[in-house]
Amino acid sequence: KIYYAEDSEDDAFFMARAVAKSGLPIDLVVWPDGTAIIEALKTDAPDVIVLDIQMPGATGLEVLKWINSTDCP
């Protein structure tokens, strides 16, 4: 499962397309802001997290700091 934090619909579309072309199983979850991904991480652990640096709510760097400071599932 891939969590992708991205506030740009265009960038999210291109990421989904790239994952589809990779041949990997597609389980891409797109989150529009950092606060939403933090809430999701409290109960679910993806295999990969891709963070946009500048987004509403919490920035990608703030999400990364939160991940490093807590015990994610």
Side-chain angles (χ1 to χ4, degrees):
K1 181 186 293 188
I2 301 169
Y3 274 6
Y4 180 46
E6 177 59 66
D7 61 321
S8 164
E9 288 184 27
D10 290 337
D11 290 345
F13 170 79
F14 288 116
M15 174 62 90
R17 205 166 151 197
V19 170
K21 284 185 173 186
S22 73
L24 297 171
I26 299 173
D27 195 2
L28 177 68
V29 181
V30 179
W31 300 95
D33 65 71
T35 305
I37 200 167
I38 287 174
E39 288 305 311
L41 288 171
K42 290 178 181 177
T43 59
D44 190 28
D47 299 304
V48 175
I49 302 172
V50 179
L51 297 169
D52 182 4
I53 297 297
Q54 295 179 343
M55 58 186 161
T59 68
L61 293 175
E62 290 169 334
V63 173
L64 185 59
K65 286 179 187 175
W66 181 85
I67 291 169
N68 287 329
S69 70
T70 190
D71 291 327
C72 291

Short mmCIF file of all heavy atoms in Angstrom, two decimals:
data_model
loop_
_atom_site.label_atom_id
_atom_site.label_comp_id
_atom_site.label_asym_id
_atom_site.label_seq_id
_atom_site.Cartn_x
_atom_site.Cartn_y
_atom_site.Cartn_z
N LYS A 1 0.84 -1.18 0.00
CA LYS A 1 0.00 0.00 0.00
C LYS A 1 0.89 1.24 0.00
O LYS A 1 1.87 1.30 0.73
CB LYS A 1 -0.90 0.01 1.23
CG LYS A 1 -1.83 1.21 1.29
CD LYS A 1 -2.61 1.29 2.57
CE LYS A 1 -3.57 0.13 2.62
NZ LYS A 1 -4.50 0.24 3.73
N ILE A 2 0.54 2.21 -0.83
CA ILE A 2 1.29 3.46 -0.92
C ILE A 2 0.40 4.61 -0.47
O ILE A 2 -0.68 4.79 -1.00
CB ILE A 2 1.76 3.72 -2.37
CG1 ILE A 2 2.63 2.59 -2.89
CG2 ILE A 2 2.49 5.06 -2.46
CD1 ILE A 2 2.91 2.65 -4.37
N TYR A 3 0.86 5.36 0.51
CA TYR A 3 0.18 6.60 0.89
C TYR A 3 0.90 7.73 0.18
O TYR A 3 2.12 7.84 0.26
CB TYR A 3 0.26 6.84 2.39
CG TYR A 3 -0.81 6.19 3.21
CD1 TYR A 3 -1.74 5.31 2.66
CD2 TYR A 3 -0.91 6.45 4.57
CE1 TYR A 3 -2.71 4.72 3.43
CE2 TYR A 3 -1.89 5.86 5.35
CZ TYR A 3 -2.78 5.00 4.78
OH TYR A 3 -3.75 4.42 5.55
N TYR A 4 0.14 8.57 -0.48
CA TYR A 4 0.71 9.68 -1.23
C TYR A 4 0.04 10.96 -0.78
O TYR A 4 -1.15 11.15 -1.01
CB TYR A 4 0.49 9.43 -2.73
CG TYR A 4 1.03 10.49 -3.65
CD1 TYR A 4 2.30 11.02 -3.47
CD2 TYR A 4 0.27 10.96 -4.71
CE1 TYR A 4 2.80 11.97 -4.33
CE2 TYR A 4 0.77 11.91 -5.58
CZ TYR A 4 2.03 12.42 -5.38
OH TYR A 4 2.52 13.37 -6.23
N ALA A 5 0.77 11.82 -0.12
CA ALA A 5 0.23 13.10 0.35
C ALA A 5 0.54 14.15 -0.71
O ALA A 5 1.69 14.50 -0.94
CB ALA A 5 0.86 13.48 1.69
N GLU A 6 -0.50 14.61 -1.37
CA GLU A 6 -0.33 15.55 -2.48
C GLU A 6 -1.58 16.41 -2.60
O GLU A 6 -2.69 15.90 -2.66
CB GLU A 6 -0.11 14.78 -3.78
CG GLU A 6 0.01 15.64 -5.02
CD GLU A 6 1.15 16.63 -4.93
OE1 GLU A 6 2.32 16.21 -4.90
OE2 GLU A 6 0.86 17.84 -4.88
N ASP A 7 -1.41 17.73 -2.63
CA ASP A 7 -2.56 18.63 -2.75
C ASP A 7 -2.85 19.04 -4.18
O ASP A 7 -3.87 19.66 -4.45
CB ASP A 7 -2.39 19.85 -1.85
CG ASP A 7 -1.16 20.68 -2.21
OD1 ASP A 7 -0.12 20.08 -2.54
OD2 ASP A 7 -1.24 21.91 -2.16
N SER A 8 -2.02 18.65 -5.12
CA SER A 8 -2.23 18.96 -6.53
C SER A 8 -2.89 17.77 -7.23
O SER A 8 -2.31 16.67 -7.27
CB SER A 8 -0.90 19.29 -7.22
OG SER A 8 -1.04 19.24 -8.62
N GLU A 9 -4.08 17.98 -7.78
CA GLU A 9 -4.77 16.89 -8.48
C GLU A 9 -3.96 16.41 -9.68
O GLU A 9 -3.94 15.21 -9.97
CB GLU A 9 -6.15 17.35 -8.92
CG GLU A 9 -7.12 17.50 -7.78
CD GLU A 9 -8.52 17.87 -8.24
OE1 GLU A 9 -8.88 17.52 -9.38
OE2 GLU A 9 -9.23 18.50 -7.46
N ASP A 10 -3.31 17.31 -10.39
CA ASP A 10 -2.50 16.92 -11.54
C ASP A 10 -1.35 16.01 -11.13
O ASP A 10 -1.10 14.98 -11.75
CB ASP A 10 -1.96 18.14 -12.28
CG ASP A 10 -3.04 18.93 -13.01
OD1 ASP A 10 -4.10 18.34 -13.32
OD2 ASP A 10 -2.82 20.13 -13.26
N ASP A 11 -0.63 16.40 -10.08
CA ASP A 11 0.50 15.59 -9.62
C ASP A 11 0.02 14.23 -9.12
O ASP A 11 0.67 13.21 -9.36
CB ASP A 11 1.27 16.31 -8.52
CG ASP A 11 2.04 17.51 -9.04
OD1 ASP A 11 2.21 17.63 -10.27
OD2 ASP A 11 2.48 18.33 -8.22
N ALA A 12 -1.12 14.20 -8.44
CA ALA A 12 -1.67 12.93 -7.96
C ALA A 12 -2.02 12.02 -9.14
O ALA A 12 -1.79 10.82 -9.10
CB ALA A 12 -2.90 13.19 -7.09
N PHE A 13 -2.58 12.61 -10.20
CA PHE A 13 -2.92 11.84 -11.40
C PHE A 13 -1.67 11.21 -12.01
O PHE A 13 -1.66 10.02 -12.35
CB PHE A 13 -3.61 12.74 -12.42
CG PHE A 13 -3.78 12.09 -13.77
CD1 PHE A 13 -4.80 11.18 -13.99
CD2 PHE A 13 -2.92 12.39 -14.80
CE1 PHE A 13 -4.95 10.58 -15.23
CE2 PHE A 13 -3.06 11.80 -16.05
CZ PHE A 13 -4.08 10.89 -16.26
N PHE A 14 -0.60 11.99 -12.14
CA PHE A 14 0.62 11.48 -12.74
C PHE A 14 1.28 10.41 -11.87
O PHE A 14 1.84 9.44 -12.39
CB PHE A 14 1.59 12.61 -13.07
CG PHE A 14 1.14 13.44 -14.24
CD1 PHE A 14 0.83 14.77 -14.07
CD2 PHE A 14 1.00 12.88 -15.49
CE1 PHE A 14 0.39 15.54 -15.15
CE2 PHE A 14 0.57 13.62 -16.57
CZ PHE A 14 0.26 14.96 -16.40
N MET A 15 1.20 10.56 -10.56
CA MET A 15 1.75 9.53 -9.67
C MET A 15 0.95 8.23 -9.82
O MET A 15 1.54 7.15 -9.93
CB MET A 15 1.71 9.99 -8.22
CG MET A 15 2.14 8.90 -7.24
SD MET A 15 3.82 8.32 -7.43
CE MET A 15 4.66 9.43 -6.34
N ALA A 16 -0.36 8.32 -9.86
CA ALA A 16 -1.19 7.13 -10.02
C ALA A 16 -0.87 6.44 -11.35
O ALA A 16 -0.79 5.21 -11.42
CB ALA A 16 -2.66 7.50 -9.95
N ARG A 17 -0.66 7.22 -12.37
CA ARG A 17 -0.32 6.67 -13.69
C ARG A 17 1.04 5.97 -13.66
O ARG A 17 1.22 4.89 -14.22
CB ARG A 17 -0.31 7.81 -14.69
CG ARG A 17 -0.56 7.36 -16.07
CD ARG A 17 -0.86 8.53 -16.95
NE ARG A 17 -0.40 8.15 -18.28
CZ ARG A 17 -0.18 8.96 -19.26
NH1 ARG A 17 -0.40 10.23 -19.10
NH2 ARG A 17 0.22 8.53 -20.41
N ALA A 18 2.02 6.59 -12.98
CA ALA A 18 3.35 5.98 -12.89
C ALA A 18 3.30 4.67 -12.11
O ALA A 18 3.96 3.70 -12.50
CB ALA A 18 4.31 6.96 -12.22
N VAL A 19 2.53 4.62 -11.04
CA VAL A 19 2.41 3.39 -10.27
C VAL A 19 1.75 2.31 -11.12
O VAL A 19 2.18 1.15 -11.12
CB VAL A 19 1.62 3.63 -8.96
CG1 VAL A 19 1.29 2.32 -8.27
CG2 VAL A 19 2.41 4.53 -8.03
N ALA A 20 0.73 2.68 -11.87
CA ALA A 20 0.04 1.72 -12.73
C ALA A 20 0.98 1.14 -13.79
O ALA A 20 0.96 -0.06 -14.08
CB ALA A 20 -1.16 2.37 -13.39
N LYS A 21 1.84 1.99 -14.35
CA LYS A 21 2.77 1.53 -15.38
C LYS A 21 3.91 0.68 -14.82
O LYS A 21 4.56 -0.04 -15.55
CB LYS A 21 3.36 2.73 -16.12
CG LYS A 21 2.41 3.36 -17.09
CD LYS A 21 3.10 4.46 -17.87
CE LYS A 21 2.21 4.99 -18.96
NZ LYS A 21 2.91 5.95 -19.81
N SER A 22 4.15 0.77 -13.53
CA SER A 22 5.26 0.03 -12.93
C SER A 22 5.02 -1.47 -12.90
O SER A 22 5.95 -2.25 -12.76
CB SER A 22 5.50 0.52 -11.50
OG SER A 22 4.47 0.06 -10.64
N GLY A 23 3.76 -1.86 -13.02
CA GLY A 23 3.45 -3.28 -12.94
C GLY A 23 3.25 -3.78 -11.53
O GLY A 23 2.92 -4.93 -11.30
N LEU A 24 3.46 -2.91 -10.55
CA LEU A 24 3.24 -3.28 -9.16
C LEU A 24 1.75 -3.31 -8.86
O LEU A 24 0.96 -2.62 -9.52
CB LEU A 24 3.92 -2.26 -8.23
CG LEU A 24 5.43 -2.15 -8.34
CD1 LEU A 24 5.93 -0.96 -7.55
CD2 LEU A 24 6.08 -3.43 -7.85
N PRO A 25 1.34 -4.07 -7.87
CA PRO A 25 -0.07 -4.03 -7.49
C PRO A 25 -0.45 -2.60 -7.08
O PRO A 25 0.29 -1.94 -6.35
CB PRO A 25 -0.16 -4.97 -6.29
CG PRO A 25 1.08 -5.80 -6.36
CD PRO A 25 2.11 -4.98 -7.07
N ILE A 26 -1.58 -2.15 -7.56
CA ILE A 26 -1.98 -0.76 -7.30
C ILE A 26 -2.82 -0.69 -6.04
O ILE A 26 -3.89 -1.29 -5.97
CB ILE A 26 -2.76 -0.18 -8.49
CG1 ILE A 26 -1.90 -0.18 -9.73
CG2 ILE A 26 -3.25 1.23 -8.17
CD1 ILE A 26 -2.64 0.21 -10.98
N ASP A 27 -2.31 -0.02 -5.07
CA ASP A 27 -3.05 0.27 -3.84
C ASP A 27 -2.59 1.65 -3.39
O ASP A 27 -1.92 1.79 -2.37
CB ASP A 27 -2.79 -0.80 -2.79
CG ASP A 27 -3.80 -0.73 -1.65
OD1 ASP A 27 -4.72 0.11 -1.71
OD2 ASP A 27 -3.66 -1.52 -0.71
N LEU A 28 -2.89 2.64 -4.21
CA LEU A 28 -2.44 4.00 -3.98
C LEU A 28 -3.55 4.79 -3.31
O LEU A 28 -4.66 4.87 -3.84
CB LEU A 28 -2.06 4.66 -5.30
CG LEU A 28 -1.63 6.13 -5.27
CD1 LEU A 28 -0.27 6.25 -4.57
CD2 LEU A 28 -1.54 6.68 -6.68
N VAL A 29 -3.27 5.35 -2.14
CA VAL A 29 -4.24 6.18 -1.43
C VAL A 29 -3.71 7.61 -1.43
O VAL A 29 -2.62 7.87 -0.92
CB VAL A 29 -4.44 5.69 0.02
CG1 VAL A 29 -5.47 6.54 0.73
CG2 VAL A 29 -4.85 4.22 0.03
N VAL A 30 -4.45 8.52 -2.02
CA VAL A 30 -4.02 9.92 -2.13
C VAL A 30 -4.70 10.74 -1.03
O VAL A 30 -5.91 10.69 -0.87
CB VAL A 30 -4.37 10.50 -3.51
CG1 VAL A 30 -3.93 11.95 -3.60
CG2 VAL A 30 -3.70 9.69 -4.61
N TRP A 31 -3.89 11.47 -0.30
CA TRP A 31 -4.39 12.34 0.77
C TRP A 31 -4.14 13.79 0.37
O TRP A 31 -3.04 14.13 -0.05
CB TRP A 31 -3.67 12.03 2.08
CG TRP A 31 -3.88 10.62 2.50
CD1 TRP A 31 -3.04 9.57 2.26
CD2 TRP A 31 -5.00 10.08 3.18
NE1 TRP A 31 -3.59 8.42 2.77
CE2 TRP A 31 -4.78 8.70 3.34
CE3 TRP A 31 -6.16 10.64 3.68
CZ2 TRP A 31 -5.70 7.88 3.97
CZ3 TRP A 31 -7.07 9.81 4.31
CH2 TRP A 31 -6.83 8.45 4.46
N PRO A 32 -5.13 14.68 0.53
CA PRO A 32 -5.00 16.06 0.08
C PRO A 32 -4.21 16.97 1.02
O PRO A 32 -3.84 18.07 0.64
CB PRO A 32 -6.45 16.54 -0.03
CG PRO A 32 -7.17 15.74 0.99
CD PRO A 32 -6.49 14.40 1.01
N ASP A 33 -3.97 16.53 2.24
CA ASP A 33 -3.21 17.37 3.16
C ASP A 33 -2.52 16.51 4.21
O ASP A 33 -2.87 15.35 4.41
CB ASP A 33 -4.10 18.44 3.82
CG ASP A 33 -5.17 17.84 4.72
OD1 ASP A 33 -4.81 17.34 5.80
OD2 ASP A 33 -6.35 17.87 4.33
N GLY A 34 -1.55 17.11 4.86
CA GLY A 34 -0.75 16.38 5.84
C GLY A 34 -1.49 15.96 7.08
O GLY A 34 -1.21 14.91 7.66
N THR A 35 -2.46 16.76 7.51
CA THR A 35 -3.22 16.42 8.71
C THR A 35 -3.99 15.12 8.49
O THR A 35 -4.06 14.27 9.38
CB THR A 35 -4.18 17.56 9.07
OG1 THR A 35 -3.41 18.77 9.20
CG2 THR A 35 -4.89 17.29 10.37
N ALA A 36 -4.57 14.94 7.31
CA ALA A 36 -5.34 13.74 7.00
C ALA A 36 -4.46 12.49 7.01
O ALA A 36 -4.86 11.43 7.50
CB ALA A 36 -6.04 13.88 5.66
N ILE A 37 -3.25 12.60 6.49
CA ILE A 37 -2.36 11.43 6.46
C ILE A 37 -1.89 11.07 7.86
O ILE A 37 -1.76 9.90 8.20
CB ILE A 37 -1.19 11.60 5.47
CG1 ILE A 37 -0.61 10.24 5.09
CG2 ILE A 37 -0.11 12.49 6.00
CD1 ILE A 37 0.32 10.25 3.92
N ILE A 38 -1.68 12.06 8.72
CA ILE A 38 -1.31 11.76 10.12
C ILE A 38 -2.43 10.98 10.79
O ILE A 38 -2.18 10.00 11.49
CB ILE A 38 -0.97 13.05 10.89
CG1 ILE A 38 0.39 13.60 10.43
CG2 ILE A 38 -0.96 12.80 12.40
CD1 ILE A 38 0.76 14.94 11.02
N GLU A 39 -3.66 11.40 10.60
CA GLU A 39 -4.79 10.69 11.19
C GLU A 39 -4.86 9.25 10.68
O GLU A 39 -5.11 8.33 11.45
CB GLU A 39 -6.10 11.43 10.91
CG GLU A 39 -6.26 12.71 11.70
CD GLU A 39 -6.12 12.51 13.21
OE1 GLU A 39 -6.77 11.59 13.76
OE2 GLU A 39 -5.35 13.26 13.84
N ALA A 40 -4.63 9.06 9.39
CA ALA A 40 -4.66 7.71 8.82
C ALA A 40 -3.53 6.84 9.38
O ALA A 40 -3.71 5.65 9.63
CB ALA A 40 -4.57 7.78 7.30
N LEU A 41 -2.36 7.44 9.59
CA LEU A 41 -1.21 6.68 10.08
C LEU A 41 -1.39 6.21 11.52
O LEU A 41 -0.69 5.29 11.96
CB LEU A 41 0.06 7.53 9.97
CG LEU A 41 0.59 7.74 8.56
CD1 LEU A 41 1.72 8.78 8.57
CD2 LEU A 41 1.05 6.44 7.94
N LYS A 42 -2.30 6.80 12.24
CA LYS A 42 -2.55 6.38 13.62
C LYS A 42 -3.16 4.99 13.69
O LYS A 42 -3.05 4.33 14.71
CB LYS A 42 -3.45 7.40 14.33
CG LYS A 42 -2.75 8.73 14.59
CD LYS A 42 -3.68 9.71 15.25
CE LYS A 42 -2.98 11.05 15.48
NZ LYS A 42 -3.89 12.04 16.07
N THR A 43 -3.78 4.54 12.59
CA THR A 43 -4.44 3.25 12.61
C THR A 43 -4.00 2.31 11.49
O THR A 43 -4.37 1.14 11.49
CB THR A 43 -5.97 3.42 12.50
OG1 THR A 43 -6.28 4.12 11.30
CG2 THR A 43 -6.51 4.18 13.70
N ASP A 44 -3.25 2.79 10.53
CA ASP A 44 -2.89 1.97 9.38
C ASP A 44 -1.44 2.24 8.99
O ASP A 44 -0.99 3.37 9.02
CB ASP A 44 -3.81 2.30 8.20
CG ASP A 44 -3.65 1.33 7.06
OD1 ASP A 44 -3.28 0.16 7.29
OD2 ASP A 44 -3.92 1.73 5.91
N ALA A 45 -0.73 1.18 8.63
CA ALA A 45 0.67 1.31 8.24
C ALA A 45 0.85 0.93 6.77
O ALA A 45 0.77 -0.25 6.44
CB ALA A 45 1.55 0.45 9.12
N PRO A 46 1.10 1.90 5.89
CA PRO A 46 1.35 1.57 4.50
C PRO A 46 2.76 1.03 4.32
O PRO A 46 3.59 1.12 5.22
CB PRO A 46 1.18 2.92 3.80
CG PRO A 46 1.60 3.92 4.84
CD PRO A 46 1.14 3.33 6.14
N ASP A 47 3.03 0.51 3.12
CA ASP A 47 4.38 0.03 2.81
C ASP A 47 5.30 1.18 2.44
O ASP A 47 6.50 1.15 2.71
CB ASP A 47 4.32 -0.96 1.64
CG ASP A 47 3.49 -2.18 1.99
OD1 ASP A 47 3.80 -2.84 3.00
OD2 ASP A 47 2.52 -2.45 1.26
N VAL A 48 4.73 2.20 1.80
CA VAL A 48 5.50 3.36 1.33
C VAL A 48 4.68 4.62 1.58
O VAL A 48 3.46 4.62 1.42
CB VAL A 48 5.79 3.25 -0.19
CG1 VAL A 48 6.49 4.49 -0.71
CG2 VAL A 48 6.61 2.01 -0.51
N ILE A 49 5.37 5.70 1.95
CA ILE A 49 4.73 7.00 2.09
C ILE A 49 5.50 7.99 1.23
O ILE A 49 6.72 8.11 1.36
CB ILE A 49 4.74 7.50 3.55
CG1 ILE A 49 4.04 6.50 4.46
CG2 ILE A 49 4.09 8.87 3.65
CD1 ILE A 49 4.18 6.83 5.93
N VAL A 50 4.79 8.69 0.34
CA VAL A 50 5.39 9.74 -0.48
C VAL A 50 4.76 11.05 -0.01
O VAL A 50 3.54 11.20 -0.02
CB VAL A 50 5.10 9.51 -1.98
CG1 VAL A 50 5.71 10.63 -2.81
CG2 VAL A 50 5.62 8.16 -2.43
N LEU A 51 5.60 11.99 0.41
CA LEU A 51 5.11 13.24 0.98
C LEU A 51 5.46 14.44 0.12
O LEU A 51 6.61 14.62 -0.27
CB LEU A 51 5.72 13.45 2.37
CG LEU A 51 5.39 12.42 3.43
CD1 LEU A 51 6.27 12.62 4.65
CD2 LEU A 51 3.92 12.51 3.79
N ASP A 52 4.46 15.25 -0.15
CA ASP A 52 4.66 16.56 -0.76
C ASP A 52 5.19 17.46 0.35
O ASP A 52 4.72 17.39 1.49
CB ASP A 52 3.33 17.07 -1.31
CG ASP A 52 3.43 18.41 -2.01
OD1 ASP A 52 4.55 18.93 -2.17
OD2 ASP A 52 2.39 18.93 -2.41
N ILE A 53 6.15 18.30 0.06
CA ILE A 53 6.71 19.16 1.09
C ILE A 53 5.75 20.30 1.46
O ILE A 53 5.50 20.56 2.62
CB ILE A 53 8.08 19.75 0.65
CG1 ILE A 53 9.09 18.63 0.46
CG2 ILE A 53 8.59 20.78 1.63
CD1 ILE A 53 9.42 17.86 1.71
N GLN A 54 5.18 20.95 0.46
CA GLN A 54 4.29 22.09 0.71
C GLN A 54 2.85 21.67 0.44
O GLN A 54 2.48 21.41 -0.70
CB GLN A 54 4.65 23.27 -0.19
CG GLN A 54 6.00 23.83 0.09
CD GLN A 54 6.33 24.99 -0.83
OE1 GLN A 54 5.71 25.18 -1.86
NE2 GLN A 54 7.31 25.77 -0.44
N MET A 55 2.07 21.59 1.50
CA MET A 55 0.65 21.27 1.37
C MET A 55 -0.09 21.83 2.56
O MET A 55 0.51 22.18 3.57
CB MET A 55 0.45 19.77 1.23
CG MET A 55 0.96 18.95 2.36
SD MET A 55 0.81 17.21 1.98
CE MET A 55 1.96 16.57 3.16
N PRO A 56 -1.41 21.95 2.45
CA PRO A 56 -2.19 22.50 3.56
C PRO A 56 -2.21 21.55 4.75
O PRO A 56 -1.87 20.37 4.63
CB PRO A 56 -3.59 22.67 2.97
CG PRO A 56 -3.63 21.86 1.73
CD PRO A 56 -2.22 21.65 1.28
N GLY A 57 -2.64 22.07 5.88
CA GLY A 57 -2.62 21.27 7.10
C GLY A 57 -1.20 21.16 7.58
O GLY A 57 -0.52 22.16 7.81
N ALA A 58 -0.70 19.96 7.70
CA ALA A 58 0.69 19.73 8.07
C ALA A 58 1.53 19.56 6.80
O ALA A 58 1.10 18.91 5.86
CB ALA A 58 0.80 18.47 8.92
N THR A 59 2.70 20.15 6.77
CA THR A 59 3.59 20.00 5.61
C THR A 59 4.20 18.59 5.63
O THR A 59 4.13 17.88 6.64
CB THR A 59 4.74 21.02 5.65
OG1 THR A 59 5.60 20.71 6.76
CG2 THR A 59 4.23 22.44 5.75
N GLY A 60 4.81 18.22 4.52
CA GLY A 60 5.47 16.92 4.46
C GLY A 60 6.55 16.77 5.52
O GLY A 60 6.71 15.70 6.11
N LEU A 61 7.27 17.84 5.79
CA LEU A 61 8.31 17.78 6.83
C LEU A 61 7.71 17.59 8.21
O LEU A 61 8.26 16.87 9.04
CB LEU A 61 9.18 19.03 6.78
CG LEU A 61 10.04 19.18 5.52
CD1 LEU A 61 10.76 20.53 5.51
CD2 LEU A 61 11.02 18.04 5.38
N GLU A 62 6.56 18.23 8.45
CA GLU A 62 5.89 18.05 9.75
C GLU A 62 5.37 16.63 9.91
O GLU A 62 5.45 16.05 11.00
CB GLU A 62 4.75 19.06 9.89
CG GLU A 62 5.24 20.48 10.05
CD GLU A 62 4.14 21.52 9.93
OE1 GLU A 62 3.12 21.26 9.26
OE2 GLU A 62 4.33 22.61 10.50
N VAL A 63 4.87 16.05 8.83
CA VAL A 63 4.42 14.66 8.87
C VAL A 63 5.61 13.74 9.16
O VAL A 63 5.52 12.85 10.00
CB VAL A 63 3.73 14.25 7.54
CG1 VAL A 63 3.42 12.75 7.54
CG2 VAL A 63 2.46 15.06 7.31
N LEU A 64 6.72 13.97 8.50
CA LEU A 64 7.92 13.16 8.74
C LEU A 64 8.39 13.28 10.18
O LEU A 64 8.74 12.27 10.81
CB LEU A 64 9.03 13.58 7.78
CG LEU A 64 10.30 12.77 7.82
CD1 LEU A 64 10.03 11.30 7.52
CD2 LEU A 64 11.32 13.33 6.86
N LYS A 65 8.39 14.48 10.74
CA LYS A 65 8.77 14.67 12.14
C LYS A 65 7.83 13.89 13.05
O LYS A 65 8.26 13.28 14.03
CB LYS A 65 8.78 16.15 12.51
CG LYS A 65 9.94 16.90 11.94
CD LYS A 65 9.87 18.37 12.30
CE LYS A 65 10.93 19.15 11.59
NZ LYS A 65 10.83 20.60 11.82
N TRP A 66 6.52 13.91 12.74
CA TRP A 66 5.54 13.19 13.55
C TRP A 66 5.83 11.69 13.48
O TRP A 66 5.80 10.99 14.49
CB TRP A 66 4.12 13.49 13.08
CG TRP A 66 3.10 12.77 13.90
CD1 TRP A 66 2.57 13.18 15.09
CD2 TRP A 66 2.53 11.50 13.61
NE1 TRP A 66 1.70 12.24 15.56
CE2 TRP A 66 1.65 11.19 14.66
CE3 TRP A 66 2.67 10.60 12.57
CZ2 TRP A 66 0.91 10.02 14.71
CZ3 TRP A 66 1.93 9.41 12.60
CH2 TRP A 66 1.07 9.14 13.67
N ILE A 67 6.10 11.17 12.28
CA ILE A 67 6.39 9.74 12.11
C ILE A 67 7.60 9.35 12.94
O ILE A 67 7.60 8.33 13.61
CB ILE A 67 6.62 9.41 10.62
CG1 ILE A 67 5.31 9.53 9.83
CG2 ILE A 67 7.24 8.02 10.47
CD1 ILE A 67 5.49 9.48 8.32
N ASN A 68 8.64 10.18 12.92
CA ASN A 68 9.86 9.87 13.64
C ASN A 68 9.72 10.00 15.15
O ASN A 68 10.51 9.42 15.89
CB ASN A 68 11.00 10.75 13.16
CG ASN A 68 11.50 10.34 11.78
OD1 ASN A 68 11.45 9.19 11.42
ND2 ASN A 68 11.94 11.32 11.01
N SER A 69 8.72 10.74 15.62
CA SER A 69 8.57 10.97 17.04
C SER A 69 7.54 10.07 17.70
O SER A 69 7.33 10.17 18.91
CB SER A 69 8.19 12.43 17.30
OG SER A 69 6.87 12.67 16.86
N THR A 70 6.90 9.19 16.94
CA THR A 70 5.85 8.36 17.49
C THR A 70 6.01 6.91 17.06
O THR A 70 6.80 6.61 16.19
CB THR A 70 4.45 8.89 17.06
OG1 THR A 70 3.45 8.20 17.78
CG2 THR A 70 4.22 8.73 15.59
N ASP A 71 5.26 6.05 17.69
CA ASP A 71 5.24 4.64 17.29
C ASP A 71 4.05 4.42 16.37
O ASP A 71 2.94 4.19 16.82
CB ASP A 71 5.11 3.73 18.51
CG ASP A 71 6.35 3.74 19.38
OD1 ASP A 71 7.44 3.90 18.80
OD2 ASP A 71 6.22 3.60 20.61
N CYS A 72 4.30 4.53 15.08
CA CYS A 72 3.25 4.27 14.10
C CYS A 72 2.95 2.78 14.08
O CYS A 72 3.82 1.97 14.37
CB CYS A 72 3.68 4.71 12.69
SG CYS A 72 3.82 6.47 12.51
N PRO A 73 1.69 2.42 13.74
CA PRO A 73 1.35 0.98 13.70
C PRO A 73 2.18 0.22 12.68
O PRO A 73 2.73 0.73 11.79
CB PRO A 73 -0.12 0.97 13.30
CG PRO A 73 -0.54 2.37 13.10
CD PRO A 73 0.61 3.26 13.39
#
